[in-house]
Amino acid sequence: MATSTAAVLSPPSVAGLRLAPSPRGRALFRPASSPARRSVAARAALEPSVVISLSTGLSLVLGRFVFFNFQRENVAKQVPAQNGKTHFDAGDVRAKEFAGILKSNDPVGFNIVDVLAWGSIGHIVAYYILATTSNGYDPTFFSG
């Protein structure tokens, strides 16, 4: 009887990340007559890791091969100027861009800023897809 009292009063031991089976009696904690419980878990309509990977990859490919020239042309038009000169040419030595972060070995110059921007767009699109497919959203509900 002394071993069973010591087993009941001993703290649970940990093996790895799971609780190790305790020497305590398991019959002590069973309810008298409880109905069988079924585990109900929310299931995603699509596999989230696949959707996020494909969406991010697609947006990076689109940004690199489709929209890159369009993006660079629009950025070149938006150079701030005063009296027809850029700020750097007008004498503001702190207006020059730090070129070290924009260096790239890519042939067209797709750099870390572009990767972060297009990757975040891909993640946004992926989370939108996952959110709308897993909550029962029906886009044809409003048409017709």
Side-chain angles (χ1 to χ4, degrees):
M1 190 73 176
T3 58
S4 64
T5 307
V8 171
L9 298 177
S10 67
S13 60
V14 177
L17 297 177
R18 298 181 187 166
L19 282 175
S22 174
R24 298 179 194 172
R26 294 181 187 235
L28 297 175
F29 298 109
R30 281 191 195 159
S33 62
S34 64
R37 295 177 125 198
R38 286 187 228 170
S39 175
V40 178
R43 294 183 51 104
L46 301 170
E47 185 66 31
S49 59
V50 173
V51 172
I52 293 170
S53 298
L54 289 176
S55 177
T56 303
L58 181 66
S59 71
L60 287 170
V61 167
L62 287 174
R64 166 65 170 79
F65 295 106
V66 177
F67 294 113
F68 187 77
N69 292 331
F70 173 74
Q71 177 188 5
R72 287 295 191 251
E73 289 170 4
N74 284 331
V75 168
K77 292 178 189 175
Q78 297 174 1
V79 175
Q82 56 186 2
N83 299 331
K85 296 181 179 180
T86 64
H87 291 301
F88 184 72
D89 292 337
D92 187 2
V93 294
R94 294 184 179 168
K96 186 174 182 179
E97 283 187 1
F98 176 66
I101 198 166
L102 300 177
K103 288 184 181 176
S104 170
N105 290 332
D106 189 56
V108 296
F110 200 72
N111 55 34
I112 189 67
V113 176
D114 298 318
V115 170
L116 292 173
W118 286 101
S120 64
I121 289 171
H123 274 71
I124 291 167
V125 170
Y127 287 121
Y128 172 77
I129 291 169
L130 291 171
T132 56
T133 57
S134 65
N135 70 356
Y137 173 72
D138 184 14
T140 59
F141 177 75
F142 294 107
S143 63

